[in-house]
Amino acid sequence: LGSSSSVPFTSIFSQLFMTVVVPLIIGQIVRRYIKDWLERKKPPFGAISSCVLLMIIYTTFCDTFANPNIDLDKFSLIIIVFIIFSVQLSFMFLTFLFSTRNNSGFTPADTVAIIFCSTHKSLTLGIPMLKIVFAGYEHLSLISVPLLIYHPAQILLGSLLVPTIKSWMVSRQK
């Protein structure tokens, strides 16, 4: 197209490393030393992580839709939601088909884990990556919209499909 651009790979890699990998390594090291204390005290990490996730989603939504430069009409938003739901359902269906083939070797419980784990992506990892890769880009809010829709869509679809998948799994295990 006659245009070129440069990508600061070392800067992006180092920021992603510091944002994602270093906290993971530190958490694993610290966990080794306080594992016994954690098992005795049983802190409410589930509730804490849910609150942090909700806060990240809320602040990202606020940042996205408070941006005056976002140019997203309602029809485009509906189309994006439809596409994301379609892609999510398609991926879930394909993973179901491949994991239930006769020669796959997966149990029904394995299939359920594959369906839910293979298609899920996290907003808590995606947003920091977007902010690092597209730092300074004026349309960052617009780029984050599909991820903002994808995450709640996977939660909604997962909760809607649980009864159906559970009954399938129970019938296959009998």
Side-chain angles (χ1 to χ4, degrees):
L1 296 174
S3 64
S4 65
S5 143
S6 65
V7 178
F9 285 112
T10 55
S11 173
I12 290 173
F13 181 76
S14 65
Q15 287 178 337
L16 285 174
F17 184 79
M18 294 303 290
T19 305
V20 177
V21 178
V22 170
L24 179 68
I25 292 170
I26 291 171
Q28 291 298 316
I29 292 169
V30 169
R31 184 172 185 248
R32 174 172 284 168
Y33 293 109
I34 64 170
K35 183 178 180 183
D36 295 331
W37 179 83
L38 289 173
E39 288 176 359
R40 281 193 316 271
K41 296 293 182 181
K42 302 222 185 283
F45 286 130
I48 293 170
S49 68
S50 294
C51 289
V52 169
L53 179 62
L54 186 61
M55 185 180 69
I56 290 171
I57 293 170
Y58 175 74
T59 57
T60 304
F61 264 102
C62 289
D63 288 347
T64 298
F65 293 107
N67 185 347
N69 295 333
I70 191 167
D71 186 26
L72 186 66
D73 59 299
K74 292 177 184 177
F75 182 72
S76 297
L77 193 58
I78 290 169
I79 295 294
I80 292 170
V81 169
F82 177 75
I83 290 170
I84 289 173
F85 269 88
S86 300
V87 167
Q88 178 75 12
L89 277 173
S90 299
F91 284 153
M92 292 176 94
F93 182 70
L94 286 172
T95 55
F96 177 79
L97 286 179
F98 286 121
S99 64
T100 55
R101 292 190 336 215
N102 289 335
N103 58 353
S104 71
F106 294 118
T107 66
D110 292 337
T111 297
V112 171
I114 290 167
I115 289 170
F116 286 111
C117 295
S118 66
T119 60
H120 281 56
K121 302 296 172 238
S122 174
L123 183 66
T124 55
L125 181 61
I127 293 299
M129 287 177 63
L130 281 176
K131 286 184 177 182
I132 290 169
V133 172
F134 293 102
Y137 184 62
E138 65 178 312
H139 297 290
L140 177 63
S141 298
L142 201 56
I143 292 172
S144 65
V145 168
L147 185 59
L148 288 171
I149 295 169
Y150 188 85
H151 188 77
Q154 70 189 16
I155 293 169
L156 179 65
L157 286 174
S159 63
L160 291 174
L161 292 174
V162 164
T164 305
I165 292 175
K166 182 179 177 183
S167 64
W168 172 84
M169 187 176 86
V170 169
S171 70
R172 294 286 277 209
Q173 288 178 335
K174 288 183 180 180

